[in-house]
């Protein structure tokens, strides 16, 4: 069985400072890992994905995440927050079985302060 | 035009009513999914379909049914709506990519309120 734990339900940063959103996963197989972003009253947009290639994954809007198998972590980072980054972020794991279903974390709400 | 569309975008209904939420996609994907989102719970899978003849229950299928009318269309029905089905509902599609790269693409969501 697979599971995802997002360690912070809320993160608040000042504009221009680094962002760190933490995610730990549990998986029986070699998982795929994703980060999705949801802006207010919007659908989910794929930020980036890890699929067993490079462990450091670069996504859109300056975000990146590093897959660390030994720590079962897939933390999302950005060097400098922008006001437009304020949104809810979901860490997601997809295992080979059953049928590569997605399991979502509970989400981290990112607030960017001026 | 959006690749994955959902109708309606917002719906308010009463307990006991039958409701259908519709999803259409132009991505040409075989796989389609229905999720519901509740605050603090992330998204949970209701049903999924890997092709027109394949329907599978997800984590929370009780109280819901689905119909895959065509490759591009996947509908979710609440036969007798109840208040705890108030949620944001998302449709998603994927192409069942090679290896583990089965990326899902989401529609804009339908906000359903059951009074």
């Amino acid at each position: 069985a697979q599971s995802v734990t997002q360690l912070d339900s809320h993160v608040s940063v000042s504009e221009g400072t680094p962002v760190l959103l933490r995610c730990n996963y549990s998986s029986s197989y070699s998982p795929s890992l994703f980060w999705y972003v949801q802006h207010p009253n919007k659908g989910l947009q794929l930020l980036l994905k890890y699929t067993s290639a490079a462990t450091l994954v670069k996504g859109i809007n300056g975000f990146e995440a590093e897959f660390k198998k030994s720590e079962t972590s897939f933390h999302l980072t950005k060097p400098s927050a922008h006001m437009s980054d304020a949104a809810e972020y979901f860490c997601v794991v997809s295992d080979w079985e059953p049928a590569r279903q997605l399991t979502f974390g509970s989400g981290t709400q990112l607030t960017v302060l001026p | 035009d959006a690749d994955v569309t959902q109708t309606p975008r917002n719906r308010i209904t009463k307990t006991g009513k039958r409701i259908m939420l519709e999803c259409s996609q132009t991505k040409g994907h075989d796989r389609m999914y229905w999720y519901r989102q509740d605050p603090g719970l992330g998204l949970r899978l209701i049903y999924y379909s890997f092709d027109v003849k394949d329907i599978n229950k997800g984590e929370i299928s009780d109280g819901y049914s689905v119909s895959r009318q065509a490759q591009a269309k996947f509908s979710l029905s609440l036969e007798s709506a109840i208040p705890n089905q108030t949620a944001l509902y998302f449709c998603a599609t994927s192409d069942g990519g090679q290896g583990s790269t089965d990326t899902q693409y989401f529609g804009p969501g339908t906000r359903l309120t059951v009074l």
Side-chain angles (χ1 to χ4, degrees):
Chain A
Q2 58 194 30
S3 66
V4 177
T5 302
Q6 291 185 241
L7 299 169
D8 306 291
S9 59
H10 292 86
V11 170
S12 184
V13 301
S14 297
E15 190 174 22
T17 64
V19 176
L20 170 63
L21 305 183
R22 299 181 295 164
C23 173
N24 287 116
Y25 70 91
S26 171
S27 170
S28 302
Y29 301 92
S30 297
S32 292
L33 293 157
F34 307 81
W35 277 97
Y36 283 86
V37 60
Q38 184 180 27
H39 287 92
N41 300 312
K42 300 287 187 181
L44 282 84
Q45 181 184 18
L46 180 67
L47 269 182
L48 52 80
K49 63 182 179 182
Y50 165 77
T51 56
S52 75
T55 56
L56 183 62
V57 182
K58 294 187 183 298
I60 62 172
N61 301 333
F63 284 94
E64 62 181 38
E66 186 172 7
F67 173 71
K68 292 187 177 180
K69 186 175 181 179
S70 61
E71 299 177 9
T72 60
S73 69
F74 190 58
H75 301 334
L76 182 70
T77 61
K78 183 173 181 177
S80 176
H82 191 273
M83 296 297 288
S84 61
D85 295 328
E88 189 158 23
Y89 292 78
F90 293 95
C91 182
V92 182
V93 63
S94 173
D95 236 334
W96 276 96
E97 299 293 338
R100 286 179 282 178
Q101 293 180 34
L102 299 186
T103 299
F104 282 75
S106 55
T108 298
Q109 184 68 46
L110 175 65
T111 299
V112 182
L113 304 171
Chain B
D1 287 339
D3 294 321
V4 185
T5 57
Q6 294 182 233
T7 55
R9 294 294 311 280
N10 288 281
R11 183 69 182 268
I12 300 173
T13 191
K14 295 183 178 180
T15 297
K17 294 291 188 181
R18 184 178 187 275
I19 287 292
M20 179 180 285
L21 308 183
E22 299 186 337
C23 177
S24 295
Q25 53 112 348
T26 58
K27 297 184 77 67
H29 289 169
D30 285 327
R31 300 183 173 197
M32 298 187 73
Y33 310 79
W34 275 105
Y35 293 88
R36 65 177 279 175
Q37 182 182 25
D38 298 280
L41 294 178
L43 275 70
R44 293 178 293 166
L45 183 64
I46 306 172
Y47 270 96
Y48 62 101
S49 170
F50 282 0
D51 64 41
V52 175
K53 298 180 180 179
D54 177 76
I55 303 288
N56 303 280
K57 293 182 178 180
E59 178 186 356
I60 53 163
S61 59
D62 288 349
Y64 301 95
S65 62
V66 291
S67 173
R68 184 81 183 266
Q69 300 95 323
Q71 185 204 36
K73 296 185 182 295
F74 192 37
S75 300
L76 176 71
S77 294
L78 288 66
E79 297 300 326
S80 180
I82 56 177
N84 76 2
Q85 292 177 313
T86 294
L88 187 56
Y89 290 84
F90 285 102
C91 175
T93 74
S94 72
D95 64 0
Q98 294 301 310
S100 56
T101 58
D102 191 18
T103 303
Q104 292 188 19
Y105 299 89
F106 288 81
T110 294
R111 186 168 297 281
L112 177 65
T113 302
V114 183
L115 301 176

